Amino acid sequence: MKKIVIVGNGMVSYKFCEKLRAKADASRYEIVIFGEELLPAYDRVHLSEYFAVRSADNLYMAPKEWYKEQGITLHTGTLVTAIDREKKQVVTHKGNSESYDILIMATGSSAFVPPIKGVEKKGVFVYRTIDDLEAIMDFGAKAKSAAVLGGGLLGLEAAKAVMDMGLKAHVVEFAPRLMPRQLDEVGSQVLQAQLEELGIGIHLSKQTKEIEGNGLLSALHFGEEERLEVDMLVISCGIRPRDELAKAAGLEVGVRGGIVVDDHLKSSDPNIFVIGEAALHRNMIYGLVAPGYEMADVVVDQLVGSGEQEFADCDMSTKLKLIGIDVASFGDPFGEEEEADTIAFEDKVSGIYKRINISKDGKRLLGGILVGDAGAYNSLLQVCKNGMALPPNPEDLILGARGGEGGDIGTESLPDTAQVCSCENVTKGDLCTAIKEQGLEDVAQLKACTKAGTGCGACTPMVTDIFNDTLKAMGKTVKKVICEHFAYDRRELFDIVKVKEIKTYDALLDAYGEGDGCEVCKPAVASILAGVWNDLVTKQDTIQDTNDRYLANIQRGGTYSVIPRVPGGEITPEKLICLGEVAKKYNLYTKITGAQRVDLFGAHVGDLPDIWEELINAGFESGHGYAKALRAVKSCVGSTWCRYGLHDSVSFAIEVENRYRGLRSPHKLKGAVSGCRRECAEAQNKDFGIIATEIGWNLYVAGNGGANPQHGVLLAGDIDSETCLRYLDRYLMFYIKTAEPLNRTATWLNKLEGGIEYLKQVIVADSLGIGEALEKEMQFMIDTYSCEWKEVINDPKLKAKFTHFINSDKKDAHVKFDDLRNQKMPEPWT
Amino acid sequence: MISQLEDYRTVTASEVKTWIKVAKASDFPENGGACVLHEGLQIAVYNFTRRGEWYACQNLCPHKMQMALSRGMIGSAAGEPKVACPFHKKTFSLVSGKNLNGSECDIATYPVKVEDGMVYLGVS
Ligand code: SRM
Ligand SMILES: Cc1cc2nc3c(=O)[nH]c(=O)nc-3n(C[C@H](O)[C@H](O)[C@H](O)COP(=O)(O)OP(=O)(O)OC[C@H]3O[C@@H](n4cnc5c(N)ncnc54)[C@H](O)[C@@H]3O)c2cc1C
Ligand code: SF4
Ligand code: FES
């Protein structure tokens, strides 16, 4: 067994441990870490989130517990003060020493503080650690304005932080533009305009000569008469690698800081490695976390792998969201490294700037800049890094091809070396190999075994595409089995349940599955059983997702929400008063939802039956806000009141909502009815949307709001109400029977071979001759509907399930609330 | 919050000092769990009817420190009995407490026995 001592417990130190432990346990390498900070490694990249919650709990790379489990000894709050390379041991500020076989320096860097007169004054801060943030928050509570020295990436983030604290924020930059390392003149101007609009003062080409004030800072002096009066200053002028310890131990360090390493991250002492921001590799310090992780990889390879892996120049492309504004730069953003043609696009009104640099022969993308809209970043980066072929009109890359698809890069054309996940440095090749060699069956497995997509998550869509493409290329009919317990897809199981008249999950598992089921197949089968038998979900409550099991949405903190049905959004004053009274009585947070209903949040599980009893007595019923089922059918006010209304959209919405209330489906279903083309009910982004025309209704289907908005497509035009309902019956039932689990109608239609034309054939022309059968099945659903909550409050046995403890009537003491605008809200995630 | 996690320590069968009487077996849902309150601690106890087995683990999910695991769906992964947290579906082995997604820390498990229709939880 060998012993590794690590100096520093920052992000890279942690990642090194994680990577090493994945390959070698404590019997092979003992690990001892010394970290100067009091807290175990936390996510510095998301440091600013600390301002919102003032708690580090969400930022930890891993809980303290984790180190113990991994057999790692972690000494926090301990500074290493000396290295005795002869004796191979380190000494801490407490005077203890620890011997090592291998020493890893992961000391990171500290904020660079320029030698300006007066920097020692009170009110001057840096922005690097949680301690720094604590100090800033304490001081900022009494301040009115703050300047940030440095208009780089970090400086702007700091400016946003002080702005969020309620201070007037200024950014002071020495260069003539913002983010000088990433942006060009125009990019900087576009960004500046947006920041100024937010009220941030931007001061460019300013050299700060002196920090004025009598002990306490009062102003920045720029020379001549120019001064900026502020109460606080945050310095963000770059970083200084922490190489003092290495230097004192006689290791080679760079003239401008950083511990010199070779391609294997070895320092001038072969027993000492350096990783992260402290390492100086080929004269470069990498101030980003991804290269640090890659360094950790290389050292792990030295210790337990082939030893062949080398750290190569790392990509410094960046994409971030600054104060809600996308900013990205990649490759050679300025087109300086070789002669280039530049294509740029600027839209002052929406604050968008895009620039790409193309090689003189028009064949390669060299780099570029995106401000305001960085949606194309991922694919541009891939094209750039992999020297992929450009479209015939390269400007399509940033403008989007006119008149159709294009510009977008499919994952099939990526080379194997393309880095897909930059946080964890996973290439397309790594993903494909994992899929092929380990016989992976879903994207979750792929993420778990390669770690791709587990960092910032931005690459998840690409990972999914690569997964599907690879399976297809392997000649696997990508059979969409539900999970390891059922070798069938949802549609097949639906038929089995129906034909074999299977009524319970257990019976299906016994006859057609294996193992004990899981959180994927249980709710999927529950949805199928509901789609065939429309039985009460409460009868098989433990196969339901938690929301269906408790007939309410679980929330942060473990309480539940209550959303009664308000068909069409129409509600009487009496019912509104009842909602208010119930909310008051049970102390519930009250909010109007985005679907024209009222949500009452923060109910203890034990209070749910009582709350519902009162609501039901007042004439409400379940709104199924917790279920993959019909939610709301929104309406606009329509012809009864509106001067433009063509038909009574409210009445029709209510009729439709009551018709399909409680209808369980593969995913949730939403509808809307608008009284005219102005479309105030937003029907075209619903699973079904009905819009009044002069002579009838237009029926749109498969629209979606949410994560991937998509407009609905016209299924039939100018139809009467009866026909509309008939088509809806057929369409909804057809979807319920054939969709994969958790596919909304939009996704389902996108995948349906033949698309909308085929759907029209089936629904309108009845080409399969199943129209009548579908209508009958739907009629069965309508006839067998009952309100689940009514069932519960009338059945003491069902009611008894709504308790937090099985052996006590106490409420969960863990549930705690804060106050917000005169209502309660759950405590932040802890 | 880390300290809260430290309240929960795996108890193995041989370490049991006291068996706490919890509730009637028939009070538990089939193939599901319920939460037991014991001296301020919350322990999830599962009636894994399908396997004819009982399991117990901390109710506290280490992902976002939510008292929720008793309300999670149970099942198996490659034969290993597991529970999925209702919040974000992180899954944990009911036998070893191991986090099966690899990203959270493991959870504490406890012995359970059933005698004369009563469920007992083992604590040390
Ligand atoms: C309460 C509400 C927000 C609000 O305050 O307005 C809300 C709250 C939630 N939405 Fe929503 N959505 C609400 C309207 C919407 C809307 C607007 C609408 O319905 O017109 C949308 C976009 C329209 C759409 O769905 O196409 C919407 C798109 C989503 C999505 C994304 C769906 C998608 O297809 O991409 C999810 C996630 C999901 O369902 O998987 C979601 C999921 C959720 C969940 C259930 C998340 C969860 O699982 O805990 C939230 C539950 C909160 C709670 O504890 O009650 N919510 N959600 C709205 C309740 C409406 C109601 O009365 O039932
Ligand atoms: C506000 C902010 C935002 C950022 N945003 C991004 C971003 O969006 N993207 C990105 O890629 N990067 C970002 N970074 C940079 C990123 O955080 C760093 O690249 C990363 O943290 C470097 O990791 P590290 O382990 O090398 O150093 P660190 O995380 O600095 O860890 C080094 C640790 O070693 C300790 N230490 C030093 N000397 C000793 C000693 N002698 N004894 C004991 N302990 C010692 C230090 O106290 C420190 O805790 C950001 C940084 C900050 C401050
Ligand atoms: S948008 Fe997201 S955060 Fe807002 S309610 Fe919907 S699910 Fe929750
Ligand atoms: S709180 Fe349990 S998975 Fe997130």
Side-chain angles (χ1 to χ4, degrees), chain A residues 596-655:
Chain A
Q596 301 185 335
R597 330 202 267 187
V598 178
D599 202 345
L600 311 175
F601 295 84
H604 282 275
V605 64
D607 286 341
L608 287 172
D610 293 342
I611 292 171
W612 274 104
E613 184 151 11
E614 295 197 24
L615 292 171
I616 285 170
N617 288 340
F620 285 106
E621 55 185 1
S622 169
H624 296 93
Y626 47 80
K628 303 293 179 235
L630 180 84
R631 298 282 171 92
V633 177
K634 279 168 71 162
S635 77
C636 72
V637 66
S639 61
T640 46
W641 289 90
C642 175
R643 62 188 164 140
Y644 294 119
L646 297 171
H647 305 303
D648 180 359
S649 48
V650 181
S651 297
F652 199 39
I654 294 173
E655 182 181 350

Side-chain angles (χ1 to χ4, degrees), chain A residues 491 715 734 738 748-749 751-770:
Chain A
R491 192 178 175 154
L715 181 74
F734 189 48
T738 59
W748 166 73
L749 183 59
K751 293 183 186 170
L752 191 69
E753 223 152 298
I756 181 67
E757 288 315 318
Y758 174 71
L759 188 66
K760 278 186 192 163
Q761 286 293 315
V762 176
I763 304 301
V764 180
D766 196 10
S767 61
L768 300 179
I770 57 173

Side-chain angles (χ1 to χ4, degrees), chain A residues 829, chain B residues 61 63-66 69 85-90 92:
Chain A
W829 288 121
Chain B
C61 177
H63 174 224
K64 293 282 179 187
M65 304 298 156
Q66 299 290 302
L69 293 177
C85 175
F87 273 91
H88 313 97
K89 301 270 167 78
K90 306 277 178 192
F92 302 88

